[in-house]
Amino acid sequence: MRILAVDLGGTHATCAMVEDRSIVACETVNLPDSASLRTALKAIEEPLRKLRQIGTAEAIGFGFCGLVDSNGARIASTNGKFTDGPEIDLSRWAMEEFGLHLRLENDARLALLGERHAGAAQDETDVVLFTLGTGIGGVAMMDGRLLHGKHGQAGVLGGHVPINFRGRRCTCGGIGCAESEASGWALPIVAQSWPGFSTSSLAAKKLDFETLFHCANSGDTVACAIADHCLHALGATAVAAIHAFDPDLLIFGGGVMKSADAVLPFLQDYVRENAWTPWGTVRVRAAQLGNQAALLGVVPLFEQESLFVR
Ligand SMILES: [Zn+2]
């Protein structure tokens, strides 16, 4: 079964023709910051038509960086981008433009489906995937099925677990979310308010996690303290997910994993020491598929009708 896959992120859209465990062809389109969903759809129509010339596609699987309603048919809510999303009938767009059925899913859920189908979670049934990047994506599968919940929000807001009730305001409107303590967007804010930041080697650099861990490894005490803060925030987030979803396995992907040598051993130890799991220890592992995970996730999205817990 060949499927056209769309992974619509904040800054770009990736379109692909996928078949089983492989991406047959792929094209990425950059989107302006101000892009509406309507303009994004216009921008991907041509790449999708080109991909279609490769062979017959049976459907379109669409990953979206926001909340999707519990039927997987409409965008329910967005976080700052594509604010016209809830008004748009994507199924109708797919049928009118391509004559194909479309299924919509949150991009993090699709990434977990992809990792289970062809990556780090093969043969696993109870998994939480965290994507550590500009934001923190966290998504859960229990007993081989993605969680959805009544409003489509279950198990998909792992980055918005409040871990500091005295913390700063998050982009979601909450306070002290994991994302507001240890994500790519929060790192400059956390660092610049850290005591002694102006004396740190970080002050002269573009702040990202690779730089943070590099400076920490070089012995910069402020960088060490901030890295320690971020790692503990991620550890608390991981334990919250374990207590909520009872997984066997946690998978971590995203840009922060460029520093996997620093992040993964810490998280494995943190989970071993702080999660209440009398049956054993939840395993911690790196994601394998990177940006391809959500694209490959459209295959099981169509193949397994009984995949979802409502
Ligand atoms: Zn939040």
Side-chain angles (χ1 to χ4, degrees), residues 4 6-7 23 25 50 52 154 169 192 252 257 277:
L4 286 171
V6 178
D7 183 12
I23 291 173
K50 248 196 274 173
R52 225 182 154 184
R169 185 70 68 182
Q192 282 156 15
F252 290 87
M257 294 308 287
T277 52

Side-chain angles (χ1 to χ4, degrees), residues 161-301:
V161 172
I163 57 170
N164 180 3
F165 67 86
R166 296 192 201 282
R168 63 183 59 77
R169 185 70 68 182
C170 179
T171 56
C172 73
I175 287 181
C177 295
E179 235 190 70
S180 69
E181 296 289 339
S183 69
W185 69 258
L187 180 60
I189 302 168
V190 171
Q192 282 156 15
S193 61
W194 204 272
F197 173 74
S198 60
T199 64
S200 161
S201 55
L202 292 172
K205 295 186 165 71
K206 182 173 175 287
L207 276 173
D208 57 29
F209 281 95
E210 203 173 5
T211 303
L212 176 68
F213 287 112
H214 177 75
C215 290
N217 285 338
S218 305
D220 183 308
T221 54
V222 172
C224 285
I226 297 170
D228 191 61
H229 168 88
C230 292
L231 287 170
H232 279 81
L234 295 175
T237 309
V239 170
I242 290 168
H243 290 175
F245 305 118
D246 192 16
D248 290 314
L249 176 67
L250 299 182
I251 298 176
F252 290 87
V256 178
M257 294 308 287
K258 287 178 193 164
S259 309
D261 289 354
V263 175
L264 284 182
F266 176 91
L267 290 174
Q268 182 67 77
D269 288 345
Y270 192 96
V271 161
R272 187 180 294 112
E273 290 163 16
N274 296 289
W276 188 11
T277 52
W279 52 268
T281 301
V282 176
R283 288 166 283 138
V284 170
R285 188 182 288 171
Q288 288 180 2
L289 300 177
N291 296 334
Q292 296 190 343
L295 298 171
L296 289 168
V298 303
V299 177
L301 184 68

